[in-house]
Amino acid sequence: MGLKTFDVNQDEFQSEVLDSKTPVLVDFWAEWCGPCKMIAPIVDEIADEYDGKLRVAKVDADANQDILINYGIMGIPTLILFKGGEAVERITGFKPKGKIVSQIAAHI
């Protein structure tokens, strides 16, 4: 976990993500997932660069299956940007930083 990212679980998801006044990019990942490990440094960079405009949460997919089911997540890594309690952007699989930023920039 990077310095600007935070872990969130099922119990905290409502208060930390859905009720957040600031947009929240949620990284759904798992320890065994190679592409998740590849995208993690990119997610950390985005958290640093957009500090104050965007919060970045990490959800352990194995430990929080209910969240994955609620949002129809079939594969990881999946990044979902939440704004005003709604999922406004979804990125599935490894993508380069420029692609991720271009998809989320319009919402923050």
Side-chain angles (χ1 to χ4, degrees):
M1 186 170 75
L3 297 175
K4 302 272 196 268
T5 63
F6 63 97
D7 289 321
V8 69
N9 62 34
Q10 179 69 41
D11 297 334
E12 305 160 332
F13 197 80
Q14 180 72 41
S15 63
E16 291 290 339
V17 177
L18 300 179
D19 295 341
S20 177
K21 302 274 186 251
T22 305
V24 182
L25 181 65
V26 181
D27 177 11
F28 295 90
W29 68 282
E31 187 63 42
W32 49 264
C33 169
C36 297
K37 291 178 182 178
M38 291 169 49
I39 206 170
I42 295 170
V43 171
D44 290 343
E45 285 177 26
I46 291 169
D48 288 341
E49 290 171 19
Y50 288 87
D51 187 32
K53 298 182 201 160
L54 176 73
R55 299 174 69 220
V56 179
K58 302 253 191 183
V59 173
D60 182 333
D62 290 334
N64 296 282
Q65 288 288 315
D66 288 349
I67 300 172
L68 275 71
I69 292 167
N70 286 347
Y71 290 97
I73 297 170
M74 305 298 276
I76 55 173
T78 291
L79 304 175
I80 299 180
L81 181 64
F82 289 87
K83 185 175 182 179
E86 299 292 322
V88 295
E89 194 68 58
R90 178 184 296 238
I91 302 162
T92 303
F94 177 82
K95 301 283 188 291
K97 182 179 174 185
K99 175 79 170 151
I100 296 169
V101 169
S102 70
Q103 285 190 246
I104 66 172
H107 301 286
I108 53 178

